[in-house]
């Protein structure tokens, strides 16, 4: 690579790192503070993702349709913030008025946003567990893929992803989840490893799904809000898939018990409607 190429690569990496530092700082403050600040952060991200989705799918956010679409996400976030957890299916189903593609994305936004708000009710650790697992999965997949290489994971969807990267991401997710469980002092490290693996798979699936959408639309990034990272949908594609799964697990344990202690049998029982109460 030429000197110009090296300088360009370093410049891009520097922008990406600086953007990541700001993003981690903002997210960390919001998650740690909880309450109103956390709600504002989540609702703001939901609205931002809705704006990106509308633009990607050909709806201007300055049009009445685009404005209403963004307000739809805001309404779902505000409903969850005020404890109206039963309203999220309504926001999902009624978004069909925007058409199937926009409805599908809205369902993802509403489910993930509501899940992250629900998880924070259990304290910092449940949200931290999910975020750390997703970040570790993404970072380890990237690094392993770069260092090891090998066969592509899904070349028609995302040519840059490799099978070795997927394995590395899964290992990173398990290690991160186990570490958070250990640090929390709440135990359940063995089941934490299982849930971390499941969340890691969900995160990679979410990443691939977003890549498939962008490939179908012929775009590289979902937006330009985050320098070096693209848009909100680019950055949080793994999180939006993992958070709802963690929220489901949290419904299967008692109050004050971390979701990663939920046994898979409890989840199956919950889905079958057999849990007491």
């Amino acid at each position: 690579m030429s000197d110009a190429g090296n300088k360009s690569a370093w410049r891009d990496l520097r922008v990406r790192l600086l953007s990541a530092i700001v993003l981690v700082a903002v997210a960390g403050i919001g998650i740690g503070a909880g309450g109103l600040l956390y709600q504002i952060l989540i609702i703001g991200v939901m609205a931002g993702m809705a704006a990106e989705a509308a633009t990607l799918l050909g709806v201007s956010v300055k049009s009445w349709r685009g404005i209403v679409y963004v307000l739809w996400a805001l309404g779902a976030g505000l409903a969850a913030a005020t404890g109206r957890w039963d309203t999220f299916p309504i926001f999902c189903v009624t978004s069909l008025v925007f058409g199937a593609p926009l409805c599908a994305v809205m369902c993802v936004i509403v489910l993930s946003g509501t899940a992250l708000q629900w998880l924070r009710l259990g304290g910092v650790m449940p949200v931290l567990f999910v975020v750390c697992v997703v970040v570790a999965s993404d970072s380890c997949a990237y690094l392993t893929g770069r260092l090891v290489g090998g066969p592509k994971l899904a070349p028609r969807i995302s040519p840059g992803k490799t099978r070795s990267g997927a394995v590395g991401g899964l290992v990173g997710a398990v290690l991160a989840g186990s570490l958070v469980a250990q640090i929390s002092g709440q135990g359940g490290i063995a089941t934490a490893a299982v849930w971390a693996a499941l969340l890691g798979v969900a995160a990679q699936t979410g990443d691939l799904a977003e890549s498939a959408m962008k490939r179908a639309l012929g775009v590289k990034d979902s937006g330009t809000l985050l320098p070096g990272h693209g848009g909100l949908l680019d950055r949080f594609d793994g999180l939006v898939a993992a958070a709802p799964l963690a929220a489901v697990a949290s419904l299967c344990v008692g109050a004050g018990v971390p979701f990663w202690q939920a046994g898979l049998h409890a989840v199956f029982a919950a889905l079958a409607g057999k849990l007491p109460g």
Side-chain angles (χ1 to χ4, degrees):
M1 183 180 291
S2 66
D3 290 341
N6 285 327
K7 290 180 180 179
S8 178
W10 164 244
R11 191 181 303 112
D12 291 343
L13 179 60
R14 183 171 58 184
V15 170
R16 187 178 179 88
L17 287 174
L18 290 174
S19 179
I21 290 171
V22 173
L23 186 62
V24 168
V26 172
I29 292 171
I31 294 171
L36 180 60
L37 183 58
Y38 180 75
Q39 298 291 358
I40 291 174
L41 178 64
I42 297 300
I43 295 172
V45 171
M46 291 173 69
M49 289 195 293
E52 286 185 358
T55 302
L56 282 174
L57 293 169
V59 178
S60 171
V61 292
K62 296 181 180 179
S63 67
W64 70 267
R65 190 162 175 251
I67 292 172
V68 173
Y69 188 74
V70 173
L71 290 175
W72 216 272
L74 279 172
L78 289 170
T82 54
R84 294 300 306 273
W85 306 106
D86 57 330
T87 60
F88 79 85
I90 298 174
F91 282 98
C92 290
V93 174
T94 55
S95 64
L96 270 170
V97 297
F98 298 104
L102 283 170
C103 174
V105 180
M106 180 59 68
C107 288
V108 171
I109 293 171
V110 171
L111 286 172
S112 58
T114 301
L116 287 168
Q117 289 170 302
W118 172 265
L119 288 170
R120 187 57 182 81
L121 294 179
V124 173
M125 283 302 171
V127 180
L128 190 62
F129 185 100
V130 177
V131 171
C132 286
V133 164
V134 172
V135 171
S137 173
D138 184 51
S139 300
C140 291
Y142 177 81
L143 291 174
T144 305
R146 288 283 182 174
L147 293 172
V148 179
K152 301 299 182 180
L153 178 64
R156 293 185 179 181
I157 297 176
S158 183
K161 292 181 176 58
T162 61
R163 296 177 187 177
S164 63
V167 173
L170 187 60
V171 172
V174 171
L175 292 176
S178 301
L179 180 60
V180 172
Q182 177 68 41
I183 293 173
S184 72
Q186 295 175 295
I189 297 177
T191 52
V194 174
W195 279 109
L198 293 174
L199 294 179
V201 171
Q204 293 193 36
T205 302
D207 191 349
L208 285 172
E210 202 249 352
S211 295
M213 180 181 74
K214 289 189 297 183
R215 194 170 184 82
L217 295 173
V219 297
K220 181 179 182 295
D221 297 317
S222 66
T224 58
L225 181 63
L226 306 174
H229 296 274
L232 293 170
L233 289 170
D234 294 316
R235 184 66 276 172
F236 301 127
D237 50 8
L239 187 60
V240 298
L245 179 59
V248 169
S250 76
L251 294 172
C252 304
V253 295
V257 180
F259 76 82
W260 60 80
Q261 289 191 15
L264 294 181
H265 66 284
V267 176
F268 293 141
L271 294 176
K274 296 180 180 179
L275 282 182

